[in-house]
Amino acid sequence: MKLILDGSEIIECTKVIKGADYIDVYDGDMIISQFGGINDFSGYVLEDGEFSEPEPTKEEILEAKIDALTKLLQDGGLI
């Protein structure tokens, strides 16, 4: 897999995580490059692969569990 920056710089990698305003580039389990504060991702092109989604944060996981529990309680008529 290759991450191409602005059509010129090429970074060989095994995984690229694309967040809301950042990109983390991996070789195996090691981060080899990080780019932050990105407003426009058009200068970052990934060849021979796809961008990965970041893992959910602990807060996002907890919020999803609370939402599911609330729905379960509402559907059961308990709240």
Side-chain angles (χ1 to χ4, degrees), residues 65-76 79:
K65 289 180 178 182
I66 290 170
D67 290 346
L69 181 57
T70 301
K71 182 173 181 350
L72 182 64
L73 292 172
Q74 288 172 336
D75 290 348
I79 59 172

Side-chain angles (χ1 to χ4, degrees), residues 1-7 9 11-26 33-36 38 40-55:
M1 180 180 319
K2 298 175 187 175
L3 179 65
I4 303 171
L5 309 174
D6 296 321
E9 184 180 352
I11 301 173
E12 295 281 342
C13 54
T14 58
K15 177 171 77 170
V16 181
I17 295 179
K18 180 179 172 186
D21 65 348
Y22 68 89
I23 290 178
D24 291 340
V25 185
Y26 289 80
S33 292
Q34 292 181 299
F35 305 94
I38 302 171
D40 178 10
F41 286 93
S42 64
Y44 301 85
V45 177
L46 194 58
E47 285 190 354
D48 303 323
E50 296 182 6
F51 288 104
S52 298
E53 295 289 322
E55 295 292 322

